């Protein structure tokens, strides 16, 4: 008696599928960044076998960065966006169209700097066998602030979800602010006030008084997160002296503004230099706490 062989479909997505999902989530990625996320153990040249067919099908385009044609950043075309719209891993995320290579070049500096920070966490997580995947970093996450009809918003440069597996299993979430020193130090520090307002914000529902939702008096963030995410500032783009001064300005805002001081009593706050994270890893003692003593520590120890 023969036994029928059951052939099951693979549970693994193809490299092409994953590459399109990465571009939908992160908006813009260099060839090297896609390789680091997608196939880090394969020779870098093999990533072209994934990207070239996608370009030929009209699903992705690219822009050239700098004077060397070897540095390319890829993004989804309108057909590529239409392709990924209903994918399960992208639910709740809207792929932002980039209409041209010129438009991609204009947003490259900020977007790709954020990806550099993400890759530092991803590389470190892989060495530790922690659970943190390329899609666990969500850029440009918008939150409403106190009832202003949606005109007043807090836009985090990124939100990420990370699970440490040893010495015991712990889940972390973090808001990330990327500072390339393109705004004043005071304006950067004011972001802490926005986060403090969001931390305390209880939305009101006109005409729904007495409902179960209102009786629970849920804070706005509790509808999205089981615990308020820690807040991490990642700085680059200036001398060490300038970046150190900007971190001190963040500490001063935390100490001097009552709303931010109250936030810091409940939420870990920290700042680090991007190049330090890339060189030593985010778990190294490269983060300056924004409240209390200024002794550097790892990001999970803030």
């Amino acid at each position: 008696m023969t036994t029928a062989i059951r052939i099951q479909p693979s549970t693994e997505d193809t490299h092409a599928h994953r590459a399109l999902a990465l571009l939908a989530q992160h908006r813009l990625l260099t060839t090297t960044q896609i390789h680091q996320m997608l196939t880090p153990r394969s020779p870098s040249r093999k990533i072209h076998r994934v990207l070239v067919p996608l370009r030929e099908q009209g699903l992705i385009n690219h822009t050239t960065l700098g004077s060397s044609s070897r540095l390319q950043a890829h993004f989804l075309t309108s057909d590529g966006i239409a392709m990924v719209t209903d994918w399960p891993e992208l639910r709740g995320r809207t792929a932002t169209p980039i209409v041209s290579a010129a438009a991609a070049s204009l947003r490259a500096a900020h977007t790709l700097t954020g990806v550099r920070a993400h890759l530092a966490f991803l590389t470190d997580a892989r060495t530790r066998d922690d659970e943190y995947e390329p899609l666990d970093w969500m850029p440009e996450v918008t939150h409403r602030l106190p009832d202003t009809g949606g005109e007043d918003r807090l836009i985090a440069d990124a939100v990420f979800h990370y699970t440490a597996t040893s010495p015991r299993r712990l889940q972390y979430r973090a808001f990330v602010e990327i500072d390339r020193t393109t705004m004043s130090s005071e304006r950067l520090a004011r972001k802490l006030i926005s986060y403090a307002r969001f931390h305390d914000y209880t939305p009101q529902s006109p005409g729904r008084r007495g409902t179960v939702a209102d009786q629970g008096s849920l804070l706005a963030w509790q509808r999205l997160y089981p615990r308020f995410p820690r807040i991490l500032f990642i700085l680059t783009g200036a001398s060490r002296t300038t970046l150190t001064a900007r971190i001190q300005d963040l500490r001063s805002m935390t100490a001097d503004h009552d709303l931010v001081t109250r936030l810091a009593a409940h939420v870990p706050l920290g700042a680090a230099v991007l190049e330090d994270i890339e060189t030593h890893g985010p778990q190294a003692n490269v983060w300056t706490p924004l409240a209390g003593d200024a002794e550097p520590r790892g990001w999970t120890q803030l």
Side-chain angles (χ1 to χ4, degrees):
M1 180 177 178
T2 60
T3 302
I5 298 175
R6 297 182 63 189
I7 300 176
Q8 298 288 3
S10 173
T11 60
E12 295 288 331
D13 292 322
T14 65
H15 286 331
H17 178 109
R18 294 176 63 200
L20 291 173
L22 289 173
L23 288 169
Q25 177 116 316
H26 297 288
R27 275 74 166 183
L28 192 67
L29 295 170
T30 67
T31 306
T32 299
Q33 289 172 338
I34 297 173
H35 169 251
Q36 290 173 310
M37 291 187 198
L38 195 59
T39 57
R41 293 181 178 86
S42 299
S44 58
R45 65 181 182 277
K46 289 190 175 182
I47 198 64
H48 294 283
R49 299 178 187 174
V50 178
L51 299 177
V52 170
L54 295 176
R55 189 179 306 157
E56 292 174 344
Q57 295 165 35
L59 299 176
I60 69 173
N61 199 350
H62 72 274
T63 186
T64 300
L65 303 176
S67 57
S68 173
S69 60
R70 298 176 61 186
L71 184 57
Q72 296 180 346
H74 307 270
F75 57 94
L76 294 184
T77 63
S78 57
D79 286 345
I81 290 175
M83 173 79 74
V84 306
T85 297
D86 297 325
W87 287 4
E89 63 267 46
L90 298 172
R91 284 177 187 152
R93 302 291 296 164
T94 301
T96 302
I98 298 177
V99 297
S100 67
S105 294
L106 291 173
R107 69 178 300 162
H110 183 76
T111 300
L112 297 179
T113 300
V115 175
R116 284 175 57 189
H118 169 41
L119 283 169
F121 282 92
L122 183 62
T123 300
D124 191 60
R126 286 168 171 167
T127 63
R128 297 172 180 276
D129 289 327
D130 287 342
E131 295 175 11
Y132 181 72
E133 298 298 328
L135 292 178
D136 287 333
W137 174 286
M138 293 173 287
E140 299 176 20
V141 180
T142 301
H143 306 83
R144 280 272 312 277
L145 284 178
D147 302 294
T148 55
E151 296 178 0
D152 196 357
R153 303 166 187 254
L154 166 65
I155 303 177
D157 285 333
V159 177
F160 74 75
H161 305 262
Y162 187 107
T163 301
T165 57
S166 64
R168 61 194 180 98
R169 189 176 180 85
L170 291 171
Q171 293 183 327
Y172 298 91
R173 295 159 198 83
F175 292 120
V176 180
E177 291 297 322
I178 303 295
D179 174 40
R180 296 180 295 117
T181 62
T182 55
M183 66 175 72
S184 70
S185 185
E186 180 182 357
R187 184 179 168 195
L188 174 68
R190 284 207 307 267
K191 290 283 288 193
L192 284 167
I193 301 175
S194 296
Y195 279 108
R197 290 175 61 204
F198 181 52
H199 180 264
D200 290 352
Y201 172 33
T202 304
Q204 300 299 315
S205 301
R208 296 185 59 192
R209 297 178 64 84
T211 66
V212 173
D214 291 331
Q215 290 171 1
S217 299
L218 283 177
L219 296 168
W221 65 264
Q222 291 175 319
R223 304 183 182 194
L224 302 168
Y225 309 103
R227 185 179 296 108
F228 197 88
R230 62 193 57 215
I231 303 170
L232 306 177
F233 287 82
I234 299 176
L235 299 84
T236 189
S239 68
R240 179 69 57 164
T241 299
T242 297
L243 298 181
T244 300
R246 291 170 78 87
I247 291 174
Q248 183 55 49
D249 290 341
L250 289 168
R251 283 181 54 84
S252 296
M253 176 65 79
T254 305
D256 296 342
H257 195 287
D258 290 345
L259 202 60
V260 182
T261 301
R262 188 162 69 244
L263 171 72
H266 302 283
V267 178
L269 312 175
V273 174
L274 174 59
E275 288 75 12
D276 290 344
I277 299 171
E278 292 177 315
T279 301
H280 304 290
Q283 290 283 11
N285 295 333
V286 296
W287 296 87
T288 300
L290 301 187
D293 72 81
E295 186 68 26
R297 61 203 69 182
W299 75 275
T300 59
Q301 305 304 313
L302 291 168

